[in-house]
Structures are given as structure tokens and as C-alpha cells.
Amino acid sequence: METISRISTLLESARDLTLDAASAARSGRGSSSKPLDRPQIKKFLDSRSEREVLDGLRRVISMMYRSQKTLPFFSSIVKNIASPNLEIKKLVYIYLVHHAEQDPDVALLSINTIQKSLSDANPQVRALALRTMSNIRVPVISQIVSLAVKKGAGDMSPYVRRAAALAIPKCYRLDPSQLPQLLEYLSTLLGDKQYYVAGAAITAFMEVCPERVDLIHQHYRSLIKKVVDMDEWSQLSTLRLMTIYARRCFPRRTRKVKSKNQGAELQDFYGEGGDAGPEGEEVVFLDPDLELLLSGIKPLLQSRNSAVVIAVARCYASVGTAPYVQSAIGPLIALLRGPQDIQQVALFDIVSICLDRPADFVKYASHFLVRATDTQPVWELKLEFLTLVFPCAPVHVKSLILNELEHFSRGSDKLLVREAVRAIGRCAQTDPATAPRCLRLLLGQITSLDGILAAESLTVIRHLIQKDPTAHVATVVRLAKNLDSATDPQARATIIWLVGEFSALNGEDNIAADVLRILLKGFTSESEVAKRQIVLLAAKVYLHHLNRETEVAQAASGDEPTSLPKLLEDDDHPAAKLWTYVLHLVRYDTSYDLRDRARLYKALLAVPQLATLMLLAPKPAPQAPSPSEARKGYMLGSSALVLAGGGGVHGLRGYESLPDWVEEGREPDPRLRDSETLGSGYGEKRVVPAAEALDSVARSSAGPANGTGSGVGVKSLDDWLAEGEEEDESEETEEEDSDEEEEDDEDEDDEEDGDEEESGEESEDEGSQAERTRLVG
């Protein structure tokens, strides 16, 4: 019989496995299997077999995610909400949440069943019911959801309490008037002993009431201890919250200490380092609680999640000091080994930090050499990083960077060539010692057949020349000689402008007039950009001639007022003839803008003093800031940093910057962080340990509690051990007395009942007396 029952059991198991395999095969074939019509699916949903109901629900959910109409099955599906099968319950909840807004009346009929599931013995079912109830976006049930959150916040299972914390923002969006009650639940959940409950509570806090930092005071230290164990999403919310909390609650305190002086060390030793004088160095002194935060999140730099690493770096850069920022640089560099999108975001953050602290990144310069597989945003940021660390780098690193930039400036990618040339210019501007080498590299590019490369090189050369004009006269002469080989209109216009800027040197021996004579021969074939600069060059050459004539006249008359300069028609000087020729050429040009410029210059030259102020005024040296200067000030890891703007750039809204540091004297009382609750966090009272209870009793007791006139609190360990030995001896004596009494009772067989009662009373009196003796002694 046993064998037959075992065989039948095996056959039943095999049948179940076969049915499961067939169902899996049907679902695996997907589109190859014939889909069921609506009556058949409804028949499955109304079946009493859990297997058919589950199959029907899977088909409906599949149709729902394919954007097919599944609302007609609403009543047939909702009635399965009371099924004891957890898989069926999950699918019903998914369907109910998706369609509750379309048919709220039928959805409300299932609320009672969901409420009953809040008291289920399985914590997973309770959490699932709470999550579903909070996801049903029907404003009528806001009160019920609030009560469910309250019940979940006091649940014994941390899994349910976590679901209650995540339901608080949904309840708040459903009915904002529930905020006071939700804040009470949230305050309770923030102090939960389980790290994943506290993490979910912080996520809800940042969405519901991020400005209520007063709720964080009593939980501040416990949250810092739990942040290492939280999940990645909770860690991100906690790090953002703690950064804001630190700005609002810890003032930035600095003191001046003497540097490079042995006396300063002695003063610091005796606590007098703050009086270092005005020549001292300012050092930031951290609050102990702020230092607890910065040291508590340091292990998160080893997180496998790149967002957590960036969040820690943001916290260090926003509220930390230099040593903490330096400790975050290595983990940020390690993110460059990840995918391209992570590399790009990490590079934005690295460059943002490098703008303020380039010296800390010098040793990592080799990690930012451009690779062939890098995308355009990645290599742009890498080139920018190399130019930022260039001034702080040693000689061999500078040579490596320049070789890298020279290589890419001769490449085939036009965008990469342009950025490489601009990077060379920024390197030359930030480090004057390498400017000659950078200038030689750029001069070699002006004869390139690529007009973009030549134009970019000349633009950078113009910036370098304007930095120190007197030291680059020979460079301008060399550029003028290359006018014939320069074919790009913008490049020719740049060279002509430079010649005009140097037209005042060496008086009449300047090359500007001769260059103008050569250019006027092919004036009609020049581009409009070059024609504008030729007209400007002609005006400057003629103006310098007028100024020289005025100076000669003043010198001859002994600084007496002189007459106006000769009219243009009466002047036989070559500069005047060139200017007349330019005016004739421009008069018949097709560009009205060029004709207007010529008339403007002619009117200005009628008053040489005014023309000198307008045309020959010294030009400030142009600045070529790093492209990321526009992103400076945005938080690390934010979308605004990547898109270079908050408030509407590329449609981006909602950016919130960090608050300013709280002023010293206006920070919250530090004692608020000492009142940390030690409970479990979900409503139960604190259990007092036995040792603590004994100590409190010993401290509070007074009087002759031990029979010697001294209190319990003054007893030593030897006294307690001695009392224990006396108790053992008194117990042995009582046992011997009781044995003797039993023997006497057995020998007195003829004793009367009254005598027996008296002896019993005497033994009871003796026993009670011994008990009192033991308790007292």
C-alpha cells in the first residue's frame, strides 16, 4: 500500500510539472501562439481554478502593456482580489492601480478587501496592500490611505514600515491637507532602527517637506550611522539632505594661523593659534557633528553606484575641506572606466572641481589623453581638463600635453582640430613661459589648406600678440608675408587687422602702407570680411599720417595753435592717395554696409582728434576662459551642470541651488542633536536593560536596606558574595531541620490530631522565620 501511495504522489507531481512546463512553453512562444478572444479570457477569469485565473490575468496584463483595451475585464478581475494566491493578488493589484482612475466607482468596491489585507499574517501581503492603496489615485480615499499609513508605520515588520514610508508622498499628493498627520508618521519613521526604513523615510521627507530640517535634529547622528547600509537610492536622498542640513545648521568658521613658522605650532599647542595676525593663513574649523558626517560617508566613495560616488564628492565640495575633496578625486577618476554616458557626467563633475583645485589633478593627467573611441562631448571635456591642469603641471607633463594637442591639431576631424588649437591658445595664455612654443606650433598651421584650421590658429595668435604687442613685431611681419598663401577669408581678415594694429610702430617705415598698396590691387576679388578690414587699415594709415603732420606743425610753431590739416584733395602724400583710392573703390561696391563704413570713417577723419579716440584706442587683451566657466556654481551631479543652465535652458526647470551658509550665532542649538531617541522607531516603549535597572535602584535606594545601616548602593562585590554564601548555609540548615522534624513525626504514631496541627503550625512559624532571616541577612 505504501508503494502505491508513493507512486500516485509521484504521478500527481509529474502532472503538475507537465502543466507548468506547457504553460511556460505557451507563454514563451508569445506571438506564435494563437491569442484568445475576450469571452475565453473572461471565462478564465471567472473560473474556480487558480491556474486558469492566473493564466487569464497574465494575458490581460500582457494586453494592458501592449496598449490594448482591457477595461471591460475590470469587474471580473477585481473580484479575484480576495484570492489567497499571492501571484493572483499581485496581478490584480497591478491591474487595479492601472485602471482605478478610469473606473473609480468599481475600484472603491475593492478598498474593503485591501484594508482586510492590511491585517494579514504575511508581511509581504500587508506591504503589498498598503502600496496598492496608496497608488490608487482617487481623492475620496485620502483619509483611508492616511489611516493605512499610520497602521503601517506602527507595524512590527520593517518591510511594511518601509512601504508606509514610501506611501507618504503619494498620500500627500493625493490630499495635501493631510500634511500634519503625515509629518507625525514621518518623524516616527525617521528614527526607525532599521536602515532601509529610515532610508525610505528620508526619500519621503525630501519630497514632502525638505525645508523642515527641525525634524532631522534628533535623528541626525543615527542617520549618519545608517547611511552606509542603505540602498543606493536612499543614500542619494540622505546625502542631499545632509548637505542641505550642514549648510543650514553648521556655520562656516575660520581662524587665521601662522604658516611656515615654528612659533605657530607652539601657539596651536597651547590653543593660541587663532591670534596669528593678519599675515596668517585662514583655516576652516569643522563642527564635531559636521566632521562626523564627512567621515561617516567616506566609505561610500567605494560604492559600485557612480551616482553615490558623485553625491559624496558633491557633499565634500559643498561643505567639506580640502583634505576631504582630495580623497574624492581618486574615486571620481575611477568612473572614467565606465560606459560613455557615465564618463561624460563624471567628466563634467571633474572639470567643475578642477576649475577651483587644478593642482590636485596634476598626477592624473595621463588618464585624460584622448582615445579614438571617445565621443565628441568626452574628448571636448578631456581637452579642457588638460588645459586647466597645464599651469600647475611639471615640465614633462606640460610637454606631454602640448604634444597631445599638436597631434590632434593636425588631424582630419575639423571639430577636434578647432578645439585642439583653442586649447593650445589657452595653454599659452595661462603659462607665459610656454607661449613661444605654442606660438611656433600655431604659426605652422596658418599655411594649411584647411581654412578652418588656419582661421582658428590666427585667432589664437591674435590673442597672444595682444597680450604683449611690442614683443611680437616680427610675428606680425611674418604673418603679413603669408597673406598670399592664406586663402580663408577669416584668416586674411585677422592678418589685415593685426597689421593695422601695428601701423603706428616705426613711423613712416612701417609696413602697413605697403601691405595696403598690395591689397588694393586685388580689392574687388576679396571677400566682404576682408574688405572691411582693408578699409579700416586704410583709415588707420591715413590717420597716422595726419597725426604726424600735426606733430610736425606743432613742433615748428612752438606748441602754438596750428591751422587745420590740409584737405585730402591737396595732399600729395602716398597715404592720402591710398585713402582716396579706397574711397573711390568702395563708392562703387555692391555692399551697402561697406559704403556706410567708408562714409563713417571719412567723417571721423575730418576731426583727427575724434578719429584717434575711436580708431587708435588701445584694445584690451582678449580673454579665452575655459568653456566650463559658464557652468561654475552649479551642483555636482545635477542636470543643470551638464546642460549648462537651470531656469529654462533646454526646457530644464526645477533646479534648486544649495542654501547659503548659516550665519554664526543663528544656527540651531547643538543640544537638539543630543536628544536622540533610542526606541525601535515604530511606537513601542524602550526596554530598560536589567543592568541599568539595578544601577538606578542602587542609586535611588537609601536607608538600612541590608540590615547593617548602610544602603544597597554602598555595597561592594565582596559583600554581595558573602551574602550569597550565608544564604546557601541558611538553606542547608533549614533542610536539616525539616528532615529531623519528619523523623520525629514518623516515630510519634499515637499522637493526637491537635498535637499534629500544633506541630504543623510551629514548623510553618519556623519556616517563615527562616525566610525572613534569609531575606534580611
Side-chain angles (χ1 to χ4, degrees), residues 448-463:
S448 173
L449 297 177
D450 187 356
I452 296 177
L453 174 58
E456 289 294 334
S457 301
L458 282 170
T459 302
V460 176
I461 290 172
R462 177 171 62 84
H463 292 176

Side-chain angles (χ1 to χ4, degrees), residues 506-524:
N506 301 327
E508 294 186 355
D509 295 334
N510 195 277
I511 64 170
D514 197 41
V515 171
L516 175 62
R517 179 185 60 82
I518 296 172
L519 290 172
L520 290 179
K521 293 179 180 180
F523 181 82
T524 56

Side-chain angles (χ1 to χ4, degrees), residues 4-109:
I4 294 175
S5 63
R6 288 177 61 187
I7 291 174
S8 61
T9 304
L10 291 175
L11 289 175
E12 288 292 332
S13 302
R15 178 178 175 275
D16 294 339
L17 291 174
T18 304
L19 290 175
D20 291 339
S23 177
R26 284 198 305 272
S27 60
R29 285 195 298 269
S31 59
S32 61
S33 61
K34 183 179 179 181
L36 298 178
D37 55 4
R38 294 184 181 274
Q40 289 177 328
I41 295 177
K42 192 169 184 180
K43 182 179 178 181
F44 277 8
L45 296 174
D46 296 335
S47 175
R48 294 185 179 181
S49 173
E50 291 185 353
R51 188 184 302 278
E52 293 181 353
V53 172
L54 192 59
D55 188 18
L57 285 171
R58 287 171 178 167
R59 292 177 182 271
V60 171
I61 298 299
S62 177
M63 293 170 60
M64 184 179 71
Y65 285 114
R66 289 200 299 267
S67 301
Q68 298 180 7
K69 292 183 179 181
T70 56
L71 191 60
F73 302 110
F74 197 93
S75 57
S76 300
I77 292 177
V78 170
K79 69 181 181 181
N80 291 310
I81 197 170
S83 174
N85 191 321
L86 186 60
E87 294 297 326
I88 293 178
K89 193 181 291 290
K90 287 181 180 179
L91 295 177
V92 173
Y93 283 164
I94 292 173
Y95 179 87
L96 181 62
V97 170
H98 192 270
H99 291 288
E101 292 185 68
Q102 301 178 19
D103 196 352
D105 295 333
V106 181
L108 291 176
L109 298 177

